[in-house]
Amino acid sequence: MPPSHDCVLILDFGSQYTQLIARRVREANVYCEIVPFDLPLERIRQRRPQGIILSGGPDSVYGDQAPRTAAELWKLTTPVLGICYGFQLLALELGGQVEAAGRREYGLAEFNLESESPLFQGVKARSNVWMSHGDHIVQLPPGFRSTGLSANALAAAENPDRSIFGLQFHPEVAHTEEGKRILENFLFEICGCRGDWTPSQFIQESVDRIRRQVGQGKAICGLSGGVDSTVAAVLVDRAIGENLTCIFVNNGVLRKNEYARVLSRMQDQLKLHVRGVDAGDRFLELLSGVTDPERKRKIIGKEFIAVFEREARRLGRVDFLVQGTLYPDVIESVSVKGPSATIKSHHNVGGLPETMKLKLVEPLRDLFKDEVRNVGRQLGLAEEVVGRQPFPGPGLAVRILGEVTPARVTLLQEADEIVVSEVRRAGLYQDIWQAFAVLLPVKSVGVMGDERSYEYTCAVRAVHSRDGMTADWVKLPYSVLERISTRIVNEVQGINRVVYDISSKPPATIEWE
């Protein structure tokens, strides 16, 4: 934790929303850390938090294996906010009673404010909130009072003398109308945070930290051309200058003309020391015959590192590898700070071989995507770079379902180029988190030029998201979909059918693999 900043600790009980809590706290310019639910009291004290938030979770607090905090937590005078499971846990731990609800609540509910509270300053008397619980509190602990109800449950309570507050609903979710104000009330009115965690502060502290970590050593940076690796490279370049060499690898599954475009941008515009490595044939050879998506990710991740290590040897002594790993990459790959479920591996995290000889520098590891964009703008990067839509580390390999072959890569590159260009033409590129094409291992009969065709199907995917943790499908105008479909079928020989993906995350993921 930066010593000059206030800190809020978020104890993770396994909710898929835990990272959203952290994101909302960061949006208020307050530094926060997600830590395991059972972090010992001594380590909590060492961090000197201004406030503590208990996340939601999938368990029942009265279960035998239910996760619990350190018993001594309640001896602290630090303000506490319990959310969903966290609320039920603090109620049970402090002498209340929690039972299975006769009527569960999932989704939108109406919250009715009962009494004044510092947590609800400026909050409407009635508002929509997001519920997700099958248990409820039937008896509050001594010293607590109810501050709000839903139709089916006690929705909020507090012990103002001990600065302990509880919410049955999720204020971090966008569907909760007054969630932002409620969280800010906790951070500023109750915890007394200053709100001084800003991009400029992050840049200065990151540069100092990188200089201490790398010292007089030399580093190489794996560039992809996306905002993450670019911002990471510029940060490290600012810290160690000529001791950084960037490596941009053509892995054979980049977008159309991406290799040449990225090299030109990095060398000519950003003045970074970049070496291009065209290893596309090698990657495609390793991917031959592979259909399992996890194997694809592991193969690509391992070969990336092998390429970096070979280039490092050519450069002489190199000690560090810089990567643009983000917080959602870490959370979705391994449960590093709590029991959140593993969804998929990420090539920057789960694919690293144990024998890797380079030490990692990951300056963006605890940032969300929009935080990285703000840091990039503060660094003076062009909007063309910071506004670039996310692109998966394994590239088009996880957008080609089934085997990755040179012919299929070419098909998808052409289709994807059409999707992106038409989204740009419609003026929608900056409003969409990601828009791309997916090549399906499905062929169907068509009629082209009065002749029968039997060709591949292409799926188009476009989603709105704030941080990649959740996503909604985009209602693209029919005219845009029509142009995309017509152009792909007419211009990409080998595809005769286009479908549109209308799945959100959850239950789907953004990528198909």
Side-chain angles (χ1 to χ4, degrees), residues 223-254:
L223 280 179
S224 70
V227 62
D228 308 335
S229 64
T230 303
V231 171
V234 173
L235 269 175
V236 177
D237 180 71
R238 182 170 291 193
I240 64 174
E242 62 184 15
N243 283 340
L244 170 69
T245 299
C246 297
I247 308 295
F248 178 52
V249 179
N250 179 12
N251 61 4
V253 284
L254 299 175

Side-chain angles (χ1 to χ4, degrees), residues 175 431-436 460-466 470-478 481 499-510 512:
H175 298 295
D431 299 326
I432 294 174
W433 175 263
Q434 277 176 274
F436 55 90
V460 175
R461 178 84 158 135
V463 296
H464 289 307
S465 182
R466 298 185 69 178
T470 60
D472 293 324
W473 64 279
V474 177
K475 283 70 174 174
L476 283 176
Y478 288 158
L481 289 172
V499 298
Y500 191 51
D501 182 352
I502 59 170
S503 308
S504 293
K505 176 186 179 180
T509 54
I510 293 176
W512 276 52

Side-chain angles (χ1 to χ4, degrees), residues 4 8 16 73 80 100 154 201 209 228 261 308 315 333 353-354 367 389 402 420 434 436 448 452 467:
S4 60
V8 169
Q16 293 300 322
L73 177 71
V80 174
L154 173 67
Q201 288 281 348
R209 184 169 58 252
D228 308 335
R261 281 200 299 254
F308 291 147
L315 293 169
S333 301
E354 295 178 0
L367 295 189
Q389 291 182 359
V420 174
Q434 277 176 274
F436 55 90
M448 304 180 78
R452 178 185 186 274
D467 43 39

Side-chain angles (χ1 to χ4, degrees), residues 4-285:
S4 60
H5 296 280
D6 297 327
C7 174
V8 169
L9 291 183
I10 301 169
L11 273 58
D12 182 11
F13 289 90
S15 171
Q16 293 300 322
Y17 293 147
T18 300
Q19 295 77 42
L20 291 181
I21 302 172
R23 188 63 206 94
R24 303 304 172 244
V25 174
R26 297 280 188 86
E27 285 175 352
N29 293 330
V30 175
Y31 180 78
C32 65
E33 294 180 5
I34 296 176
V35 297
F37 64 87
D38 56 354
L39 189 71
L41 186 66
E42 185 55 36
R43 292 181 61 187
I44 292 176
R45 282 200 174 109
Q46 288 173 358
R47 286 166 164 78
R48 293 180 294 175
Q50 289 289 109
I52 296 173
I53 298 176
L54 312 182
S55 83
D59 296 275
S60 292
V61 295
Y62 48 77
D64 293 338
Q65 303 299 319
R68 302 288 179 90
T69 62
E72 302 88 350
L73 177 71
W74 311 109
K75 297 178 182 177
L76 297 176
T77 58
T78 307
V80 174
L81 173 63
I83 296 174
C84 196
Y85 179 93
F87 179 26
Q88 294 170 7
L89 180 65
L90 72 84
L92 187 68
E93 292 277 301
L94 296 174
Q97 187 176 349
V98 180
E99 295 179 353
R103 187 173 180 182
R104 301 176 297 175
E105 283 186 308
Y106 293 99
L108 282 177
E110 185 179 82
F111 173 67
N112 295 285
L113 191 58
E114 276 196 309
S115 59
E116 291 185 0
S117 164
L119 191 63
F120 298 115
Q121 285 189 34
V123 172
K124 295 184 296 187
R126 288 182 177 83
S127 62
N128 288 329
V129 297
W130 189 258
M131 291 285 194
S132 182
H133 67 101
D135 297 329
H136 65 162
I137 297 169
V138 294
Q139 182 178 327
L140 284 169
F144 278 75
R145 62 170 185 164
S146 170
T147 52
L149 301 171
S150 70
N152 300 310
L154 173 67
E158 68 180 22
N159 184 329
D161 295 335
R162 299 182 62 180
S163 292
I164 300 177
F165 302 82
L167 300 173
Q168 186 57 69
F169 56 87
H170 289 270
E172 71 275 19
V173 175
H175 298 295
T176 297
E177 291 180 283
E178 299 278 17
K180 181 175 184 289
R181 186 184 296 272
I182 292 169
L183 285 173
E184 290 182 351
N185 283 341
F186 178 72
L187 296 171
F188 300 120
E189 302 301 326
I190 296 169
C191 298
C193 295
R194 292 169 291 176
D196 60 354
W197 176 244
T198 62
S200 60
Q201 288 281 348
F202 174 82
I203 290 169
Q204 185 56 57
E205 290 163 6
S206 294
V207 167
D208 292 342
R209 184 169 58 252
I210 293 164
R211 284 175 180 158
R212 289 194 301 270
Q213 180 183 2
V214 177
Q216 298 302 310
K218 295 184 181 295
I220 56 174
C221 176
L223 280 179
S224 70
V227 62
D228 308 335
S229 64
T230 303
V231 171
V234 173
L235 269 175
V236 177
D237 180 71
R238 182 170 291 193
I240 64 174
E242 62 184 15
N243 283 340
L244 170 69
T245 299
C246 297
I247 308 295
F248 178 52
V249 179
N250 179 12
N251 61 4
V253 284
L254 299 175
R255 281 182 164 133
K256 184 179 179 180
N257 300 325
E258 188 80 348
Y259 184 56
R261 281 200 299 254
V262 170
L263 274 180
S264 174
R265 182 188 304 130
M266 298 302 164
Q267 293 171 339
D268 301 337
Q269 297 178 24
L270 299 181
K271 307 301 181 184
L272 293 172
H273 180 207
V274 182
R275 295 179 60 162
V277 181
D278 190 349
D281 291 343
R282 171 62 175 163
F283 278 88
L284 291 175
E285 178 185 346

